[in-house]
Amino acid sequence: MENMLKELFVILEDQAGLYRSLLDILQSEKKAVVSAKLDAVNAARIKKEMVLSLIHEKDEKRKDVVGKISDYLGCPPIGLTLTQLAQRVDVHFSLKLTQCTADISSLVQDIHRENEINKSLIAHSLNLIRSSIKLIVQLVTPPPVYFRTGKMYQGEVCGTVLSSSA
């Protein structure tokens, strides 16, 4: 049992480290979005995907270890949280589990907050881009032509606003 708990602590510490690096990536992404550095935003996205993949792997390992511990304790693994597990183990391990849980919970809240800020910044940037495109389209659209019948011909926009070439 003690070895399984030690293995769980190693996994939780690794996850906490990964969450810290994800938080750092989100903060650098925010700086990249604010300074409109597309390459840095893209690099942050790639780093996020890699870290999230590692977090997922660690989470699967954590689930396996918690499943083994729950089997040893004779309780169902489904729905067994770290807080509940802390209530079922020795005091020394209980305190350490509680501390790990609090650290990870705090990191997840920080990540959520940073992610919401980045989401808001990106949405605002997209709105600015949309309004710029709308303005450009209005500038290149010829004024309407009125015919004797009272009908109006709006005209067609020629050319493109954006190009895929760099």
Side-chain angles (χ1 to χ4, degrees), residues 56-106:
H56 181 70
E57 288 176 20
K58 290 292 180 183
D59 200 43
E60 291 300 317
K61 288 181 182 179
R62 181 192 55 79
K63 287 177 185 176
D64 287 343
V65 173
V66 168
K68 291 176 187 175
I69 293 171
S70 68
D71 288 344
Y72 182 84
L73 294 173
C75 61
I78 298 175
L80 182 64
T81 65
L82 294 176
T83 304
Q84 293 170 342
L85 184 60
Q87 296 169 353
R88 297 174 187 232
V89 297
D90 294 338
V91 174
H92 171 71
F93 294 117
S94 177
L95 293 174
K96 195 167 182 179
L97 265 175
T98 304
Q99 182 61 43
C100 285
T101 303
D103 290 345
I104 289 175
S105 178
S106 174

Side-chain angles (χ1 to χ4, degrees), residues 142-157:
V145 176
Y146 292 94
F147 295 102
R148 286 183 180 205
T149 61
K151 291 186 178 181
M152 180 174 63
Y153 176 71
Q154 189 67 29
E156 296 179 20
V157 177

